[in-house]
Amino acid sequence: MREIKFRVKCVPDSKYAGEWVTGGYVAPNADCKKRDEGLIVEYLGGNTTITYHVDPATVCQYTGLKDKNDKEIYEGDIVVVTNLMVEGFGEQMLASIVYDEELACFDFKALDRQRCICTSVLDAELEVIGNIFDNPELLEKE
């Protein structure tokens, strides 16, 4: 079974400003004083947790997959895809990881196309090279 966790960037006025943290995500609701902040709760062991104030606009869910370097792949990551066995795509391409609501799966979307391809049916090699929040210039390469 896939591990359910999230990666989110800490809000600017927190002790960990701008840092990425992972754990369980608690979304803000209408009763929250600060609706522009969510929480990440990270389990440290025993009865210990740590809570981070995070920016809900940067929530990225873990796909359950790892890249060729054993790095976890999250929604919003930018990857280099090689050995893709799908007609119409070259040997290597840049893609972003997206969640497809219709198919209920994580896909990667080629940066030079509007088409998504479900990652669960591919025999492709992925390498994370950045993400859409910290490396927007990578989105313009293709």
Side-chain angles (χ1 to χ4, degrees), residues 61-120:
Q61 187 172 1
Y62 178 47
T63 65
L65 302 172
K66 293 187 177 183
D67 76 356
K68 72 178 192 174
N69 300 313
D70 208 35
K71 184 175 181 176
E72 293 178 341
I73 300 174
Y74 286 83
E75 178 181 17
D77 279 342
I78 299 172
V79 296
V80 174
V81 183
T82 55
N83 301 325
L84 183 60
M85 301 302 181
V86 176
E87 189 176 323
F89 290 86
E91 286 186 26
Q92 189 176 68
M93 70 175 178
L94 284 179
S96 61
I97 303 296
V98 297
Y99 185 76
D100 187 315
E101 294 283 340
E102 286 183 37
L103 297 175
C105 74
F106 288 99
D107 292 354
F108 57 83
K109 181 178 177 182
L111 297 184
D112 64 343
R113 296 184 159 89
Q114 294 300 312
R115 184 171 148 196
C116 291
I117 305 166
C118 191
T119 58
S120 62

Side-chain angles (χ1 to χ4, degrees), residues 8-32:
V8 190
K9 211 169 201 179
C10 291
V11 293
D13 61 346
S14 79
K15 177 180 178 181
Y16 303 98
E19 291 183 33
W20 288 98
V21 293
T22 60
Y25 179 64
V26 180
N29 63 26
D31 298 328
C32 293

Side-chain angles (χ1 to χ4, degrees), residues 50-68:
I50 187 168
T51 304
Y52 303 93
H53 293 263
V54 295
D55 179 356
T58 63
V59 172
C60 303
Q61 187 172 1
Y62 178 47
T63 65
L65 302 172
K66 293 187 177 183
D67 76 356
K68 72 178 192 174

